[in-house]
Amino acid sequence: MLPHCQHYVTDNYRYEVWDGDCGGTVDTLLFLRESLPDGFKVCHPKGVTSAQAVRVVVNYLQSHPQDLHQPFRILAMTALSQAWPCK
């Protein structure tokens, strides 16, 4: 999913199907942010955009290449919760 998430935020929003899967997954996780399991709840700053959240996920994926075989949804939840943990 890394190349699709990168394309989502860098190609002037001309999406391919998998790019939309990346953006849709991240949007869903932001929507469910406080309903996620303990350890994965997300308390992002007010006004965070989908593109900003996808950039957080891209940075996480690039920093953890050894984990890219894991399910994308788990990686995205981890990235967002580590970037914006609930206190």
Side-chain angles (χ1 to χ4, degrees):
M1 288 299 293
L2 177 56
H4 303 292
C5 291
Q6 290 170 318
H7 188 250
Y8 180 89
V9 294
T10 60
D11 200 26
N12 297 320
Y13 301 101
R14 287 180 278 150
Y15 303 125
E16 295 176 7
V17 171
W18 288 106
D19 303 350
D21 189 34
C22 173
T25 297
V26 172
D27 279 344
T28 299
L29 292 172
L30 291 180
F31 179 76
L32 297 173
R33 64 190 172 272
E34 293 177 11
S35 301
L36 295 171
D38 289 338
F40 290 106
K41 294 184 188 310
V42 177
C43 293
H44 60 76
K46 188 173 184 169
V48 165
T49 67
S50 175
Q52 289 168 324
V54 171
R55 283 187 189 96
V56 165
V57 172
V58 166
N59 288 338
Y60 180 86
L61 296 176
Q62 289 174 330
S63 298
H64 298 86
Q66 71 280 3
D67 296 332
L68 294 180
H69 66 284
Q70 299 291 330
F72 174 68
R73 286 160 184 82
I74 299 296
L75 294 172
M77 275 195 315
T78 301
L80 296 171
S81 65
Q82 286 185 7
W84 299 310
C86 295
K87 298 180 170 80

